[in-house]
Amino acid sequence: MLVKDWMTTHVYTVTPDDSISSAAGMMRERNVKHLPVVQGELLVGMLSDRDIKAYLPSKGTSLDIYELNYLLAKTKVSQAMTRPVVSIPAETPIEEAAMIMHDRDFGCLPVTEPAPGGQRLTGIISDNDLFRVMVDITGVRGGGHRLALALPDQPGSIKEAGDLARARGFRLQSIMSTSEKAAPGTRYVVLRLRGEGDWAGLVDDIEKSPFQLVHAL
């Protein structure tokens, strides 16, 4: 899965010369927390609700509400936006985008392509888009059964667990695996299963196998 398959292409933007007041109004109206800042088609900055909140304490702590609104109306986006901007190409694997957002504490990443004079904005990938990816790849909307196992961290162990499920009449909807929360030498694996198989029989098979059953739903 690539970013281009999940990114939002209809992106709300502002320019460096727009006021922070108008940008904040767009965020509220469109229910977004991030606005790419463009000059023509080129990406020149990012403005988030955090940028606005970070700008206010240093400028508006001693102002009343009327003075604060006046300040926001006359202050340009360019004075509060973040730059330089971290962006990614549309061909980036979705998991790499998620890693960047997690490691950098970003709520979104603008998607760009090279253009004369800089990078042209083509879309945006947000944390909400990543939630959609998670829901889709796990197949949770399709129901079925969820089998969580602790398996030996060695080649073939996931296939062996899958073979047990298939032998009881199930098909694999998705497989997720991580070693982060697992004991040394093991992997934590979640199998989501579909089909009208023998669930009780499968659970019994797992309990008799070398695999550790974490939970079965």
Side-chain angles (χ1 to χ4, degrees):
M1 291 185 177
L2 302 178
V3 165
K4 67 179 181 181
D5 301 318
W6 295 93
M7 69 182 190
T8 299
T9 55
H10 181 69
V11 185
Y12 300 109
T13 64
V14 290
T15 73
D17 293 330
D18 287 333
S19 69
I20 292 181
S21 179
S22 65
M26 181 181 293
M27 288 181 182
R28 288 192 300 270
E29 180 182 348
R30 303 300 185 183
N31 193 30
V32 296
K33 296 181 179 180
H34 309 85
L35 291 171
V37 185
V38 296
Q39 195 80 59
E41 290 187 329
L42 299 183
L43 180 69
V44 296
M46 285 291 293
L47 183 72
S48 70
D49 55 353
R50 285 191 294 184
D51 292 324
I52 296 175
K53 291 172 183 175
Y55 180 83
L56 290 179
S58 62
K59 300 295 183 180
T61 50
S62 62
L63 302 179
D64 62 31
I65 187 63
Y66 301 104
E67 293 171 320
L68 187 58
N69 286 336
Y70 175 74
L71 172 67
L72 293 178
K74 75 171 187 176
T75 303
K76 294 182 178 181
V77 165
S78 59
Q79 294 174 255
M81 70 184 189
T82 296
R83 55 183 170 187
V85 186
V86 176
S87 65
I88 55 174
E91 299 293 328
T92 303
I94 195 72
E95 63 271 22
E96 289 187 16
M99 180 178 64
I100 294 170
M101 291 169 64
H102 174 270
D103 292 349
R104 303 290 290 270
D105 193 25
F106 291 161
C108 73
L109 280 170
V111 184
T112 59
E113 64 182 12
Q119 293 287 320
R120 185 174 74 86
L121 181 70
T122 60
I124 195 168
I125 189 85
S126 70
D127 48 10
N128 280 336
D129 296 318
L130 296 181
F131 296 152
R132 289 195 297 120
V133 174
M134 185 66 175
V135 169
D136 183 76
I137 65 175
T138 60
V140 64
R141 289 197 191 280
H145 292 284
R146 186 178 191 270
L147 193 63
L149 307 169
L151 305 182
D153 189 11
Q154 61 189 29
S157 61
I158 295 178
K159 179 183 181 300
E160 290 176 23
D163 287 344
L164 290 177
R166 283 186 285 267
R168 287 292 184 174
F170 294 99
R171 65 182 186 276
L172 298 181
Q173 175 75 10
S174 66
I175 302 173
M176 294 183 293
S177 173
T178 179
S179 57
E180 183 172 341
K181 302 296 184 181
T186 67
R187 293 192 67 80
Y188 185 73
V189 176
V190 175
L191 307 179
R192 183 163 288 277
L193 310 175
R194 299 289 298 277
E196 301 297 326
D198 180 2
W199 178 243
L202 174 58
V203 172
D204 186 57
D205 290 344
I206 294 293
E207 290 176 338
K208 294 177 180 177
S209 76
F211 308 139
Q212 179 187 347
L213 178 64
V214 179
H215 66 251
L217 300 174

